Every structure is written in structure tokens, then in C-alpha cells.
């Protein structure tokens, strides 16, 4: 019909929000020119993901540096036995199994100074720092001149320098403060990696490249017990040296080879740079089939619409998010879900010392279990909905963790098996959650919202050391509470929309329009 081809409102009368549509968004360019995961994209994925190795090591290094060491009686007397309380024994009656400087507990004589509480203080400070760092730094990747790339490398570099400075700590308070600072700068690393990877590929490969990043996180987790074992007779300070210096060197070497997110460049008005990045990332076949990026739809974008977010003040992206009830409700819901998963995920890893099993093998087994969990996640994100995956594995993790607490230490093999099954399920939930979180919000706030989800995870992790310390006297207060929390909080996912296979929106207005129409971008 003739009248159907005539717009009801002339273009010059449309508001800026009305002129923005998916047709002129960067997503169409990405789908056309980055449809295949070519070698340039794959190289970017690998070198960006390398930084997660060092983030993982700094996250769990306290398992070895802050562990409660074993001891032995110097002579077999009636006053000293393996069941004795060393705080009631004279210093001449017992000795540490290893040199006293292997952990902070023995180095600073904290064994009788409320060590069950103090031993968890540095870890809690680290994760509290992560939460506060996420709140303070999360928007820098969205609304400042830093962008994804600079924020990622500055955070990793600062975290590594602080970790190296930890070797100069001479008491628990300075040590905990430095751990807080390291956690503060560590906060944006995983978020920046996830967002940067997801914005460099088409929606077909979005979940897969994020899983590749998770795999490198596991490499860091598996490598940490090996480094700790090789330095088991050395000072705890050497573990910080061997994990921080390689991270500093890596940051300096690979920084020039990383590209900025083309989405971030586009929405901040850097069209030429965005085009240059897309040209570098596009495979030759896609580039030729589309007759070059110069013929892409970007040339037809209205000048005012190109710079959708011209110059944002700090936190302006979050202001726009909080002003929309649907967006705020969605954010709070996924943060509650993330809190529950964070409690069990980090609690199980940091609490391996409570299982009366070799501490090096325990963490190594959990780290190795990450890899099949990532492979299963890789399959799930392609074939199963995000919501069903998260809910199913939260229920499984909670059930296994609660049973693990109930059976106690009498059946050691069964207990370890249940702990591994609970962690495997928590890991799958954790992986799908991070993919899910990047898909729920548009480009203009994605770094901020993904970071806030991560901080909810860190907040859950901050409670874990306290529960682990309490669990040394009562098993239910650690593994039992972990299971109960993740089981209950997992049901928050039913209140969120499904995002599998959807196209990413660029602005809140765009996503709100599609939400009103009953669709997703």
C-alpha cells in the first residue's frame, strides 16, 4: 500500500531517542563484519584473557599465605599431645612443622591471639576492597575517557604493584590494609575482560569467548598450588613475589597489542577509531563480502545519533540506570542472585583447609574441576536457557554442600566428593551468571552493571572467611550455610528475562523501547 511507505512523522521532527534504532547501531556492523571468529579476534581473546591468570592467583593466594600451620610436640610427655591446645603449652614443648615464616599465623605468632578470627581478616578485607573498588571504579569503563582497555590494564598493574608491596608488611594490620588495596584495584579486572571480549565478537561467539576467559582464570587457580608447593619451605612473602612480578611484566608487554572495544569507541563519538578496530578484527572473507566497512550502515547514521553519549560525567551512566524502575529492579535482582552464588563459590575454595585433606591437592582438584565446568557451560549457553541453567545448578550446589556438612569427617572420601560436586555446580552457575549479566543491560552501562554484579559476588565472598573460621568448630556453619544460601538465592533468577540469542542494545532508551514492545534487542 502506498501510504504504508510514507513515514507518519518526518525525520527532522523525530527526537533523538526516536531516531535511534537497531538498524544504525553498531551491532549490525559487528554481525556483518565479525560474523566469524577469525584469527585476529582469537589472538585478542587470548592475550586479554591472560590477565585473569594473575587475578585468580591474587584472589586465592591467602589459602596458603594465611593458612593455620601444623605443629608437633618436641617430646612425648603427658603435657603435650596432638590433641593439646598449644595456647596452654609452653613454647619449649612444641614447634611448627615448617619454618615459622611460611605463613602469617606462625610468622607473627597469631596462633593464640584469636587466630580463628584474625586469619580470616585479610581475606575479608580483600573482598571488601573488591566490593568498594567495584563501586568506585565500575563506571570508569563506561563513562570516562579511560574505556575498557585502559581501566583493565591500570587495575591489573595497580593490583600487582600492591601485591608486591605486601612483602614489606610486618604485622596483621598493615598486611590486611594492603590486601584491601589489592582487592580495591582487582575489582574491575574480570568485569573489564568479560565486557571487552563480549564486545569484540558477534552474538554467535559472545558466550564462547567469555568461557575462554574463564578458562584462563582456572589456569591461575591450578597454577597457584604448584607455585605454593614449590615454595612450601620458604617465606610466605616469596609467594607474593612469584605471582606479582610476572603480572607486572605481562601488563607492560601486552598493553600495546590490545584493541579498545569498538562499541565503546562508537558510543563515545570515536567513529574513526571504531572503524579502524573493526577493520583489524574483521576476517578477510567478511570484509570482502561486505565491500569494506566504508559501505556499512554507519555512514547513514544521523550526525547527532552517532555520538549517543557525547561527554558523560562520572557515574552518569548509573544515574540513567537508576532513574528507570525496570532497570533498577533487574539490577537488584541479579545482584541478589550473584550474592548467593558468591558465598558458595568462594566459600568452597577458601574453605578447603576445613576438609582434613591435603591443602595443595584440594585446591588443585577444585581448580581442575573448573575446566570441565567451563566446557559444560560452553554447551549450556548454546543449547539451554540462561535461567534454567543457573537455577538447576544452584539447587544442585546447595544440596551437595548441605549433605557435605551433614556427614562430617567420618566419611572423608564421600565428603570430598560432595564438596567437589557442589563446587562444580557452583562454578557452572557462576560462569552462566557472568554471561547472563553482560546480556541484561545495554552497552552504555554494561561495564557498570557487570561490575556491580561482580561486587555482589565479592560481598558474598567477604562473608565466607568468617563462616569458614566458625566452621572449624561446627561444620554446618560453613558448608551447611553455603548450601542453604545458594539454594535460596538461586530462585531470584526466575524474576529475570531470558537473554539467550538476543542482540545487544547500545542505549537504555533502545532497550526500554524493545522492552515496551515485549521484545529484547
Amino acid at each position: 500500500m502506498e501510504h504504508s511507505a510514507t513515514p507518519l512523522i518526518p525525520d527532522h521532527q523525530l527526537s533523538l531517542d526516536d531516531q535511534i534504532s537497531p538498524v544504525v547501531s553498531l551491532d549490525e556492523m559487528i554481525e556483518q563484519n565479525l560474523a566469524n571468529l577469525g584469527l585476529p579476534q582469537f589472538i585478542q581473546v587470548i592475550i586479554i584473557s591472560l590477565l585473569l591468570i594473575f587475578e585468580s592467583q591474587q584472589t586465592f593466594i591467602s589459602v596458603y599465605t594465611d593458612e593455620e600451620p601444623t605443629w608437633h610436640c618436641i617430646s612425648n610427655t603427658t603435657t603435650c599431645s596432638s590433641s593439646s591446645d598449644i595456647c596452654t603449652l609452653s613454647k619449649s614443648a612444641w614447634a611448627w612443622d615448617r619454618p615459622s615464616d611460611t605463613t602469617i599465623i606462625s610468622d607473627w605468632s597469631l596462633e593464640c591471639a584469636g587466630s580463628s578470627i584474625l586469619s580470616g581478616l585479610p581475606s575479608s578485607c580483600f573482598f571488601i576492597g573488591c566490593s568498594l573498588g567495584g563501586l568506585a571504579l565500575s563506571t570508569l569503563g563506561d563513562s570516562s575517557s579511560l574505556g575498557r582497555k585502559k581501566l583493565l590494564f591500570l587495575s591489573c598493574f595497580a593490583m600487582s604493584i600492591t601485591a608486591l608491596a605486601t612483602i614489606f608488611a610486618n604485622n596483621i594490620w598493615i598486611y590486611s590494609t594492603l590486601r584491601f588495596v589489592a582487592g580495591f584495584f582487582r575489582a574491575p579486572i574480570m568485569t573489564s575482560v568479560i565486557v571487552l571480549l563480549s564486545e569484540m565478537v558477534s552474538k554467535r561467539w559472545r558466550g564462547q569467548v567469555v568461557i575462554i576467559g574463564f578458562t584462563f582464570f582456572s589456569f591461575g587457580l591450578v597454577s597457584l598450588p604448584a607455585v605454593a608447593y614449590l615454595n612450601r619451605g620458604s617465606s610466605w612473602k616469596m609467594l607474593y613475589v612469584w605471582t606479582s612480578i610476572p603480572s607486572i611484566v605481562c601488563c607492560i608487554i601486552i598493553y600495546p597489542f590490545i584493541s579498545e572495544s569498538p562499541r565503546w569507541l562508537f558510543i563515545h563519538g570515536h567513529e574513526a577509531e571504531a572503524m579502524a578496530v573493526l577493520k583489524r578484527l574483521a576476517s578477510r572473507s567478511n570484509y570482502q563480502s561486505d565491500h569494506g566497512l566504508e559501505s556499512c550502515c554507519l555512514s547513514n547514521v544521523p550526525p547527532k545519533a552517532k555520538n549517543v553519549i557525547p561527554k558523560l560525567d562520572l557515574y552518569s551512566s548509573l544515574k540513567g540506570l537508576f532513574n528507570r524502575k525496570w532497570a533498577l529492579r533487574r539490577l537488584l535482582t541479579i545482584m541478589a542472585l550473584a550474592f548467593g552464588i558468591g558465598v558458595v563459590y568462594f566459600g568452597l575454595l577458601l574453605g578447603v583447609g576445613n576438609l582434613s585433606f591435603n591443602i595443595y591437592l584440594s585446591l588443585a582438584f577444585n581448580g581442575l574441576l573448573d575446566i570441565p565446568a567451563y566446557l559444560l557451560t560452553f554447551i549450556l549457553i548454546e543449547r539451554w536457557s540462561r535461567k534454567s541453567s543457573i537455577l538447576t545448578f544452584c539447587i544442585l550446589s546447595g544440596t551437595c554442600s548441605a549433605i557435605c556438612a551433614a556427614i562430617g569427617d567420618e566419611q572423608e572420601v564421600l565428603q570430598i566428593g560432595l564438596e567437589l560436586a557442589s563446587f562444580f555446580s557452583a562454578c557452572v552457575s557462576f560462569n552462566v551468571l557472568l554471561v547472563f549479566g553482560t546480556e541484561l543491560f545495554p552497552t552504555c552501562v554494561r561495564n557498570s552493571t557487570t561490575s556491580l554484579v561482580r561486587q555482589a559476588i565479592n560481598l558474598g565472598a567477604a562473608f565466607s572467611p568468617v563462616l569458614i573460621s566458625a566452621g572449624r568448630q561446627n561444620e554446618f556453619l560453613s558448608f551447611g550455610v553455603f548450601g542453604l544460601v545458594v539454594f535460596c538465592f538461586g530462585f531470584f533468577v526466575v524474576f529475570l528475562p531470558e537473554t539467550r540469542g538476543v542482540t545487544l542494545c547500545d542505549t537504555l532508551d533502545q532497550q526500554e523501547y524493545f522492552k515496551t514492545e515485549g521484545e529484547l534487542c
Side-chain angles (χ1 to χ4, degrees), residues 355-406:
L355 293 176
S356 302
F357 194 71
N358 185 286
I359 195 170
Y360 300 102
L361 291 178
S362 296
L363 193 60
F365 287 159
N366 280 275
L368 289 172
L369 204 60
D370 260 345
I371 298 175
Y374 293 143
L375 295 177
L376 178 58
T377 306
F378 195 87
I379 297 172
L380 288 176
I381 60 178
E382 279 292 307
R383 304 180 179 225
W384 213 8
S385 71
R386 312 297 195 235
K387 295 173 62 175
S388 299
S389 300
I390 292 174
L391 181 59
T392 299
F393 284 95
C394 280
I395 292 174
L396 286 174
S397 178
T399 302
C400 291
S401 184
I403 297 176
C404 177

Side-chain angles (χ1 to χ4, degrees), residues 373-493:
Y374 293 143
L375 295 177
L376 178 58
T377 306
F378 195 87
I379 297 172
L380 288 176
I381 60 178
E382 279 292 307
R383 304 180 179 225
W384 213 8
S385 71
R386 312 297 195 235
K387 295 173 62 175
S388 299
S389 300
I390 292 174
L391 181 59
T392 299
F393 284 95
C394 280
I395 292 174
L396 286 174
S397 178
T399 302
C400 291
S401 184
I403 297 176
C404 177
I407 64 173
D409 297 330
E410 290 78 12
Q411 303 182 53
E412 182 178 331
V413 175
L414 179 59
Q415 186 186 47
I416 294 172
L418 287 168
E419 187 274 337
L420 292 175
S422 179
F423 176 72
F424 179 84
S425 302
C427 186
V428 174
S429 300
F430 183 89
N431 297 340
V432 179
L433 173 73
L434 293 181
V435 175
F436 190 38
T438 64
E439 298 172 337
L440 283 172
F441 301 94
T443 303
C444 63
V445 294
R446 186 171 300 121
N447 206 81
S448 301
T449 54
T450 305
S451 182
L452 288 173
V453 171
R454 284 280 297 170
Q455 302 338 305
I457 294 173
N458 291 329
L459 185 61
F463 283 92
S464 298
V466 177
L467 295 173
I468 291 167
S469 297
R472 295 191 179 112
Q473 284 75 41
N474 186 338
E475 195 77 29
F476 180 80
L477 294 179
S478 54
F479 289 91
V481 174
F482 297 157
L484 183 63
V485 169
V486 73
F487 186 95
C488 295
F489 278 75
F491 284 94
F492 276 97
V493 75

Side-chain angles (χ1 to χ4, degrees), residues 22 47 63 214 233 243 248 260 265 348 413 426 428 452 455 506:
I47 59 179
V63 171
F214 293 163
T243 55
I248 294 171
E260 179 57 270
L265 290 170
L348 292 174
V413 175
V428 174
L452 288 173
Q455 302 338 305
D506 291 321

Side-chain angles (χ1 to χ4, degrees), residues 316-385:
S316 59
S317 58
L318 286 182
K319 290 177 184 176
L321 181 74
F322 294 157
N323 287 335
R324 291 167 169 83
K325 291 183 179 179
W326 66 267
L328 181 59
R329 184 167 54 250
R330 184 178 295 184
L331 177 62
L332 294 176
T333 302
I334 194 172
M335 287 180 68
L337 173 64
F339 174 84
I341 294 176
V343 169
V344 69
Y345 181 85
F346 287 97
L348 292 174
L349 286 173
L350 296 172
V352 292
N354 286 9
L355 293 176
S356 302
F357 194 71
N358 185 286
I359 195 170
Y360 300 102
L361 291 178
S362 296
L363 193 60
F365 287 159
N366 280 275
L368 289 172
L369 204 60
D370 260 345
I371 298 175
Y374 293 143
L375 295 177
L376 178 58
T377 306
F378 195 87
I379 297 172
L380 288 176
I381 60 178
E382 279 292 307
R383 304 180 179 225
W384 213 8
S385 71

